[in-house]
Amino acid sequence: MLQEALTGINSAAATAAGNDLYNVAKGLYNEISIGDNDLENNYERLIEQANKLYARRDDILAQAKAKFVTPVVEDWISRVMNSKKEVQELEIKKEKIKKRTWAEFLCESSKSRAELNKSMVETCEKLCNLLSKGNLEMVEKLPERVMIMHEPKTKDKKFFYSIVEDILGHLRDKNVKRIGLWGMAGVGKTTIMQNLNNNENIAKMFDIVIWVTVSKVCNLEKLQHAIADRLKLNMEGITDRNEIAEQICRELKGKKCLLLLDDVRKDLDLDLSLIGMDDNERDIKVLLTTRHRHVCYDMEIDEPIKVQGLSEDDAWEMFKVKVGKNVNHQYIEPIAKLVAKECACLPLLIDKVAKIFRRKGKSPQLWDDGLSSLQRWPRIEFQGIDELIKYLEFCYEDIDDKVKKDCFLYSAIYPEDDEIYIDCLLECWRAEGFILDANEFRVARNKGHSILKELINMSLLEWSEKMNHVRMNKVLRNMALNISSRSCNFKILVKPLEGLREAPNDVEWQQANRISLNKLCTLPEKPDCNNLSTLLLQINPGLKVIPKSFFGRMQNLRVLDLHGTGITSLPLSMSCLKCLRALYLNYCTYLMELCCLEELGHLEVLDIRDTRFNHFPIQIRYLIQLKCLRMSLSNFGIEHSSNVEFCRNVFSRLQLLEELRIDLDPNNQSWEATVKAISEEVATLTNLTSLSICFPTVDCLRSYISASSLWKNSHFTFQFSVGYHGSTHYQILDCFKYQIKKCLKLANGEGVDPIISDVLLETDAFELIGHTGASRLSDFGIERIKNIRGCLIKGCNEIETIVDGNGITRSVLECLEKMLINNVPKLKSIWEGPVHYGSLSRLTTLTLCNCLKLKKIFSSGMIQQLSELQQLTVEECPEIEEIITESENNGLVPDALPRLKMLVLSNLPKVKSIWIDDSLNWPSLKRITIFKCEMLTRLPFNNENAINLKCIEADQISWSALVWQDDTIENRLQSIWFQSA
């Protein structure tokens, strides 16, 4: 601008009059030009300094994301931001000067330019000062207390919510350090733990929650580094594991920590003390998920929790939520229920399948086609299930030896959703040759139990609700059948339960190694199946005839199961089954006779219970390889002693027999001579390890006991029923989740016979039914009953107490776990006299029913010994007024009954209290049932001790009778009350 002005002036200089003006302007130009040059230089310095400062500011802001920002740092950042505004204002002023017109230039004073120049210099110095103070140190930011997982809340999934609540209860228990969730893949273990991580109570209970997916870190060192990263520890350059452990240990000192370990595999040794997290010495709790039950053992878990598949109702609810409103369409809903059923109650599969069917809209045709595809898997691919099966096959490959893999695949031969009887399953495994190096049946069965437990621990099989049964999840069964279909020598052919009308075709018979058919009423005349080793045709009343030559080309058959069929006879071709090891004919209620039995020279297992044989099958005597025999006497027509000769010299020839079960009608009093003759022969069997039999009288028992030298052996198992009574069933055994080896039932007897006391000494479970001549269980001898784990007393009209402790100087019934007392009208107490330390210390279940004179349950000193009691049931005991009697339990400590989980009170018209006040802690109590207890007006709870209570089931009258201390506890318990009918 100045140059343009001077050019104009220069043109005017040609005139004489302009010479003076030119000289003045030139002087002014030189003066301003020098000032402008200084301004440009100062501006460049200002911008350069500002850029350096802003770069430092950006560095500090980046660090602030991972570190704690102190007030000094915050003040410095604020001053930098303010200085930035000053620089921007100076830039605006400079731009105005640059854009001046000639008139503005002439009017502008040199003073304003000098002031701008000065401001730039001062601001530049300020920036330099701020930059010099920018070497700030920030402390490391503390790790977040909880890192929230993005997962749907379990309150939206009631089937997960209850498990989360249970876990929270365990985490509050100071005695519980480690919790393990275990179950098969896809049941929702990770989802449960994610929702627990997000639960608001967790942030209140712990200072830090650490989540590690263990399957991704592979080894202990990587796990240690993952924990260090979560704690924001700087491990750069540190490779020594002990040094890292020390840093983790220091960081967690004084902090409450929850360590969540997801997907723990069996091959990872997790010694937490090696990574600086010894929960025995510090306030650290551990929750892990795993597919393997034994990981819970190896990790010394205090509370293992089996995560089951959903109930059918919950599975349907989840499926409906995932699919959306289309599922409610009248033509869609019936199909949708079948689709949900195909998902086998697995949340992971429900989620995948529901997403696929959600896209099918409201078209019944598309839904029907999708269901058909799902049902025909694995013959055709199905996206959702194929993905899951590939994941589950990893579980199969994780089995560490071929024998276990074969046993698992074999279990898929049983019908879908079938409850598999364990004894038969293990017998089939042995018959197939899976269990080697076990000539003794007992040893083979023990090995089988070990394999079975391993498969259950790996979540490949699961316990059934039915005692001594297991089941295989539908999806796992599909996986096993898919694997077997690709095998050359383990091809399994199964036909579904519904709609089977025709037998397999010729090619299927020829190729299959194992076949299971249901609902098949007609069999081919002579199928060619030399490769067949197992044939299951069981539970099929419609199968009434087996063709004469049917077994003609089954020379390699080892297992034949015909139980529960409608056959009336066996074909002559049975004689071709030279390799048969196991034959099941039980519950063939129309089968009249056996044929060709003597031809089965390798037969080891025979079950002929509940058939309609019209005579004793003396052919059994020729089965000299027989190791396991189960039979009934009731249907043989030999009720009279004159027919005893039919039984002689049969059992004595079965010298390899190890397991024998003989059922008979317990009400028929004409069996004494027959059973006595049989028992005398059985007593001579030197290899017998298991005997289940009913002795009509104590004398019959005495006859066997005096002749047998084996029954006292530690590995010998027995079920001895003595006396005539209404049922062969042992009710006490239903209370146990594990197998009881030695059980004695004494029915309608009198007095105390020494032989009974002798057997009691070896007995694990005892049932005393309808007995007279004894007023106490201890009349049979305190030392004689010391080993019993389960006891049922029923219908004994003279029993007044269970144990009289007067004169006893040591603990009593220290092994007892389950006690059931029913219909004992004169019972006044469970225990009289002193209760020594250790007595009843393992008792977990106590049931009292219909005890008309019983007034007190826990006598003085008794309740202090019940540290393991988990379930207490009191029903129809009209004289009971207090569950825990105040007069007998003065000074009761708050921690009494620490393991009690369930309390059932029913038909107790006089009961007024459970305990006099709310002083007990009830740390484990989850459920209470109250029915027809109208006099019970107070519950022993407050807001603190009811925290773990999940359900109160009560009828309306009993609930209405309750009086509350305050509205808070009433509202809390009202929310968990369920009205019973």
Side-chain angles (χ1 to χ4, degrees), residues 37-49 87 90-92 94-95 117 120-121 124:
N37 287 336
D38 289 342
L39 189 66
E40 281 295 330
N41 291 335
N42 290 333
Y43 175 73
E44 289 176 2
R45 286 181 57 217
L46 176 68
I47 297 302
E48 179 183 1
Q49 202 66 30
V87 172
L90 292 176
E91 286 184 291
I92 293 171
K94 179 182 176 298
E95 285 298 315
N117 206 14
M120 284 187 178
V121 172
C124 189

Side-chain angles (χ1 to χ4, degrees), residues 142-208:
L142 294 175
E144 298 173 77
R145 186 180 291 251
V146 178
M147 297 185 70
I148 299 299
M149 302 282 180
H150 298 290
E151 190 68 22
K153 294 182 179 180
T154 51
K155 286 186 178 179
D156 301 328
K157 301 178 180 181
K158 62 181 180 180
F159 29 88
F160 290 152
Y161 178 71
S162 61
I163 298 180
V164 171
E165 289 298 305
D166 285 342
I167 297 171
L168 286 171
H170 292 312
L171 290 174
R172 294 186 186 101
D173 187 345
K174 63 182 179 181
N175 296 317
V176 175
K177 285 286 195 176
R178 300 185 180 191
I179 305 167
L181 300 180
W182 70 283
M184 69 170 287
V187 294
K189 302 183 297 296
T190 299
T191 300
I192 291 169
M193 196 157 75
Q194 286 174 332
N195 281 275
L196 180 82
N197 176 85
N198 295 353
N199 191 286
E200 59 185 13
N201 291 299
I202 291 296
K204 298 174 183 177
M205 295 165 65
F206 297 96
D207 299 312
I208 181 73

Side-chain angles (χ1 to χ4, degrees), residues 219-237:
N219 57 48
L220 203 61
E221 286 76 17
K222 290 183 178 180
L223 172 63
Q224 195 177 45
H225 277 280
I227 293 171
D229 289 344
R230 174 68 177 89
L231 296 173
K232 298 187 180 299
L233 300 178
N234 185 4
M235 297 289 105
E236 187 177 351

Side-chain angles (χ1 to χ4, degrees), residues 253-268:
K253 186 176 182 180
K255 295 179 180 178
K256 293 181 179 180
C257 174
L258 175 61
L259 178 61
L260 302 176
L261 302 175
D262 188 35
D263 197 15
V264 179
R265 303 285 173 83
K266 65 177 183 177
D267 54 354
L268 183 61

Side-chain angles (χ1 to χ4, degrees), residues 780-977:
F780 288 91
I782 287 296
E783 288 298 320
R784 299 295 174 175
I785 61 175
K786 65 180 182 180
N787 295 321
I788 63 172
R789 300 179 183 180
C791 181
L792 167 67
I793 301 175
K794 184 177 182 180
C796 298
N797 295 334
E798 297 180 15
I799 293 287
E800 296 180 358
T801 190
I802 304 304
V803 174
D804 184 357
N806 294 303
I808 297 175
T809 59
R810 55 177 297 276
S811 59
V812 178
L813 296 177
E814 52 264 62
C815 296
L816 187 65
E817 298 175 27
K818 317 284 184 181
M819 176 174 281
L820 283 67
I821 303 173
N822 186 7
N823 190 23
V824 184
K826 291 186 178 181
L827 186 72
K828 296 179 180 179
S829 65
I830 297 173
W831 201 287
E832 290 293 335
V835 185
H836 292 282
Y837 178 78
S839 299
L840 301 173
S841 58
R842 298 184 186 177
L843 188 67
T844 61
T845 301
L846 176 60
T847 298
L848 303 166
C849 182
N850 200 18
C851 299
L852 303 182
K853 291 189 176 182
L854 183 65
K855 290 188 175 183
K856 63 178 180 180
I857 300 173
F858 304 112
S859 57
S860 179
M862 180 179 168
I863 203 168
Q864 286 83 351
Q865 306 304 318
L866 301 178
S867 59
E868 295 298 322
L869 186 66
Q870 297 179 19
Q871 180 171 339
L872 174 62
T873 301
V874 187
E875 299 178 332
E876 299 182 39
C877 298
E879 295 299 317
I880 287 183
E881 297 182 9
E882 300 172 288
I883 301 303
I884 303 175
T885 310
E886 180 183 5
S887 60
E888 296 281 340
N889 293 278
N890 289 324
L892 192 63
V893 297
D895 290 332
L897 302 177
R899 297 285 181 182
L900 187 66
K901 296 180 180 179
M902 181 182 294
L903 176 63
V904 178
L905 307 177
S906 178
N907 282 292
L908 306 177
K910 291 185 179 181
V911 71
K912 296 178 180 179
S913 73
I914 297 172
W915 175 236
I916 56 171
D917 56 28
D918 59 0
S919 60
L920 299 186
N921 292 334
W922 309 108
S924 302
L925 193 60
K926 299 289 192 300
R927 183 184 182 92
I928 296 180
T929 298
I930 303 171
F931 184 71
K932 290 188 177 181
C933 300
E934 292 86 353
M935 298 290 289
L936 182 64
T937 58
R938 292 185 182 275
L939 295 180
F941 303 122
N942 54 46
N943 289 319
E944 285 72 35
N945 66 8
I947 192 169
N948 292 321
L949 198 59
K950 299 297 184 295
C951 172
I952 299 178
E953 183 179 2
D955 63 284
Q956 181 65 58
I957 295 176
S958 298
W959 181 259
S960 300
L962 294 173
V963 178
W964 307 100
Q965 296 178 8
D966 56 60
D967 293 340
T968 306
I969 187 62
E970 180 182 6
N971 293 335
R972 161 78 177 96
L973 298 185
Q974 179 82 36
S975 68
I976 60 173
W977 169 51

Side-chain angles (χ1 to χ4, degrees), residues 568-637:
T568 58
S569 63
L570 295 172
L572 293 175
S573 57
M574 283 284 294
S575 61
C576 298
L577 305 180
K578 303 296 185 182
C579 293
L580 196 65
R581 298 292 196 277
L583 175 60
Y584 300 97
L585 300 170
N586 44 310
Y587 310 116
C588 292
T589 54
Y590 299 100
L591 184 61
M592 302 290 289
E593 60 180 354
L594 288 175
C595 72
C596 309
L597 202 60
E598 62 274 13
E599 301 292 335
L600 308 180
H602 290 92
L603 195 66
E604 294 183 342
V605 178
L606 177 62
D607 194 335
I608 51 175
R609 290 172 294 160
D610 293 308
T611 56
R612 194 175 287 183
F613 299 157
N614 52 21
H615 61 274
F616 188 86
I618 58 175
Q619 307 99 309
I620 292 175
R621 71 176 68 183
Y622 300 112
L623 302 177
I624 58 175
Q625 296 296 320
L626 203 62
K627 293 180 180 293
C628 176
L629 174 62
R630 296 187 282 267
M631 63 186 299
S632 303
L633 293 183
S634 305
N635 51 304
F636 292 154

Side-chain angles (χ1 to χ4, degrees), residues 500-539:
L500 182 62
R501 293 292 179 265
E502 296 181 357
N505 59 44
D506 291 343
V507 174
E508 289 177 321
W509 280 109
Q510 290 172 1
Q511 292 182 347
N513 304 109
R514 294 158 185 92
I515 294 179
S516 175
L517 305 175
N518 300 102
K519 299 298 181 183
L520 184 65
C521 299
T522 303
L523 295 172
E525 185 65 31
K526 193 176 182 179
D528 182 8
C529 39
N530 288 322
N531 295 322
L532 193 63
S533 60
T534 289
L535 177 60
L536 306 186
L537 300 170
Q538 78 278 19
I539 316 178

